C-alpha cells in the first residue's frame, strides 16, 4: 500500500505535467512539499487526506477543479487503464439518465427540464432530444441547473445549440495545454431534438452548487442574451479536467484546459455565473415561473 507521501507526490506529478497554467506549477509544488516535510499528511485515512490536500491546494491556487477526490470504488493504478476518468463518467451518466432528472409541464404552458449532469454529446443525444421534444410546444422554458454538478463541454454545446436558429453561433472556445491548441464550439447544424429558437423565453435556474458544465450552459446562454439567469451565483469552475488515480481510493483532478467565451473574452472561473435576477436558490423556480407568466 502506498504511503500518503507517495500518493501526494504522484498527485503533484500529474499536476506538474498537465495543469493548464504551467506558470503556477512551481508554487503549487513548493507549497505542498512543504506540507509533506512538516508531516501534515501522516496518519490520515484516504478521505481525510483528500480533504486536507484539497484545502492546501486551494490555499495556494484557488482553482475549484484542482483537488483530490476519494473514490468508494477501488481504482486501477495500471497506466493502461488510466483514461482520465472517462469510463467512470460515462457509467455515471448511464446510471443517472444522462443527467436528466425530470421534465415537466407547468402552469401557463411553461416547460421545465431539470439537469443533474451534462451528458456527452455522443451518448446523451437521444435523451437530450427526447427531453426537448417533450417541451417543444411550450410557451416558455425553465432549465433548472441548480443541482447540476458539471459534465461534458461537447454536451453543453449540444444543449445550447437547441436554443439558437442555426449552426452560425460561436458558443465557446477551450484552450488545451497538452496540445497547445484551441478548440472552437459552434451551434450544431443537426440536432437530436427540435430547436427552441423562435424567440420564446428561456429561464436558467442556478444555485451555489451549480458547477462546471452546468455553469457553461448558463454562462453561454446568458452571454448571448438567449436566457435570463435566475437564482444564486454559481460556484465558479471553468476548467475542464482529467481525473487520474494516485492510490486505490484517491483520484487527483487536474484542470488541463480553460474556457474562453467569444462574447465576453473570459469565463466564470472563480467568480461564478452572476444571475440576472438574484434570489435565493430555493425560490428561483417560483420567481422564474412568475416572470414567465407575467411575460
Amino acid at each position: 500500500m502506498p504511503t500518503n507521501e507517495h500518493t501526494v507526490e504522484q498527485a503533484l506529478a500529474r499536476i506538474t505535467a498537465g495543469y493548464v497554467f504551467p506558470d503556477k506549477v512551481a508554487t503549487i509544488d513548493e507549497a505542498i512539499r512543504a506540507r509533506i516535510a512538516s508531516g501534515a499528511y501522516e496518519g490520515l485515512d484516504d478521505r481525510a487526506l483528500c480533504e486536507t490536500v484539497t484545502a492546501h491546494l486551494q490555499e495556494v491556487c484557488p482553482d475549484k477543479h484542482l483537488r483530490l477526490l476519494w473514490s468508494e470504488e477501488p481504482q486501477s493504478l495500471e497506466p493502461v487503464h488510466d483514461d482520465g476518468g472517462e469510463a467512470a463518467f460515462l457509467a455515471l451518466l448511464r446510471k443517472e439518465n444522462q443527467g436528466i432528472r425530470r421534465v415537466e409541464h407547468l402552469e401557463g404552458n411553461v416547460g421545465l427540464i431539470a439537469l443533474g449532469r451534462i451528458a456527452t454529446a455522443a451518448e446523451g443525444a437521444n435523451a437530450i432530444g427526447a427531453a426537448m421534444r417533450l417541451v417543444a410546444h411550450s410557451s416558455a422554458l425553465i432549465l433548472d441547473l441548480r443541482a447540476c454538478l458539471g459534465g461534458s463541454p461537447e454536451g453543453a454545446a449540444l444543449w445550447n445549440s437547441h436554443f439558437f436558429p442555426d449552426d452560425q453561433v460561436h458558443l465557446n472556445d477551450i484552450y488545451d495545454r497538452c496540445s497547445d491548441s484551441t478548440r472552437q464550439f459552434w451551434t450544431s447544424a443537426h440536432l437530436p431534438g427540435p430547436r427552441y429558437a423562435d424567440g420564446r423565453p428561456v429561464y436558467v435556474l442556478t444555485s451555489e452548487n451549480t458547477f462546471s458544465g452546468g455553469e457553461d450552459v448558463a454562462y453561454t446562454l446568458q452571454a448571448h442574451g438567449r436566457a435570463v439567469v435566475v437564482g444564486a451565483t454559481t460556484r465558479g469552475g471553468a476548467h475542464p479536467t482529467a481525473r487520474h488515480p494516485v492510490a486505490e481510493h484517491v483520484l487527483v483532478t487536474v484542470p488541463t484546459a480553460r474556457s474562453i467565451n467569444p462574447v465576453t473574452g473570459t469565463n466564470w472561473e472563480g467568480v461564478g455565473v452572476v444571475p440576472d435576477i438574484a434570489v435565493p436558490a430555493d425560490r428561483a423556480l417560483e420567481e422564474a415561473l412568475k416572470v414567465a407568466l407575467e411575460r
Side-chain angles (χ1 to χ4, degrees):
M1 178 180 294
T3 64
N4 284 354
E5 179 178 342
H6 177 75
T7 297
V8 177
E9 286 181 344
Q10 290 293 104
L12 286 175
R14 287 293 189 178
I15 292 168
T16 298
Y19 188 46
V20 66
F21 296 111
D23 57 312
K24 297 182 180 180
V25 165
T27 303
I28 295 169
D29 188 83
E30 181 181 357
I32 299 303
R33 288 192 182 280
R35 299 282 190 174
I36 293 174
S38 72
Y41 307 131
E42 293 178 4
L44 299 178
D45 63 25
D46 285 344
R47 282 182 183 268
L49 179 67
C50 290
E51 293 172 359
T52 304
V53 174
T54 296
H56 293 161
L57 286 169
Q58 295 292 310
E59 285 178 12
V60 68
C61 183
D63 183 326
K64 291 183 174 60
H65 277 110
L66 188 64
R67 53 191 172 168
L68 261 59
L69 295 177
W70 182 81
S71 169
E72 183 173 0
E73 293 294 324
Q75 306 293 307
S76 171
L77 299 178
E78 294 295 326
V80 69
H81 295 150
D82 185 1
D83 64 353
E86 182 178 2
F89 179 59
L90 292 176
L92 178 64
L93 288 172
R94 292 169 196 142
K95 182 179 178 181
E96 296 186 357
N97 194 38
Q98 299 300 327
I100 299 170
R101 303 181 72 194
R102 71 182 192 275
V103 181
E104 293 185 28
H105 183 259
L106 306 178
E107 63 175 301
N109 194 31
V110 177
L112 170 71
I113 299 175
L115 302 180
R117 309 269 179 184
I118 304 297
T120 64
E123 290 220 0
N126 287 339
I128 293 169
M132 291 305 299
R133 282 190 287 275
L134 289 173
V135 300
H137 302 294
S138 60
S139 301
L141 177 64
I142 297 174
L143 191 59
D144 188 352
L145 303 179
R146 289 176 294 177
C148 188
L149 301 179
S152 161
E154 294 83 1
L158 183 61
W159 273 110
N160 284 330
S161 292
H162 286 82
F163 302 106
F164 296 94
D166 51 37
D167 60 354
Q168 299 301 304
V169 180
H170 187 182
L171 297 171
N172 193 22
D173 289 339
I174 293 182
Y175 168 77
D176 179 74
R177 176 195 167 184
C178 296
S179 62
D180 191 27
S181 63
T182 299
R183 178 181 176 184
Q184 294 186 343
F185 290 82
W186 292 71
T187 46
S188 299
H190 304 287
L191 297 172
R195 294 186 188 272
Y196 203 90
D198 53 3
R200 285 174 291 173
V202 177
Y203 303 90
V204 176
L205 310 186
T206 58
S207 76
E208 299 87 346
N209 294 321
T210 308
F211 192 54
S212 193
E215 292 176 289
D216 184 345
V217 173
Y219 189 91
T220 301
L221 293 177
Q222 183 188 56
H224 283 277
R226 185 58 190 95
V228 175
V229 177
V230 183
T233 300
T234 61
R235 283 174 62 188
H239 298 155
T241 66
R243 296 186 177 193
H244 303 285
V246 290
E248 192 175 32
H249 291 279
V250 179
L251 300 161
V252 60
T253 68
V254 182
T256 58
R258 59 186 175 89
S259 296
I260 307 166
N261 183 274
V263 176
T264 66
T266 184
N267 59 44
W268 58 94
E269 178 65 34
V271 296
V273 181
V274 179
D276 300 297
I277 302 175
V279 294
D282 61 359
R283 286 181 43 213
L285 177 56
E286 175 188 352
E287 183 66 22
L289 186 57
K290 171 187 169 186
V291 173
L293 293 176
E294 289 175 349
R295 177 166 176 173

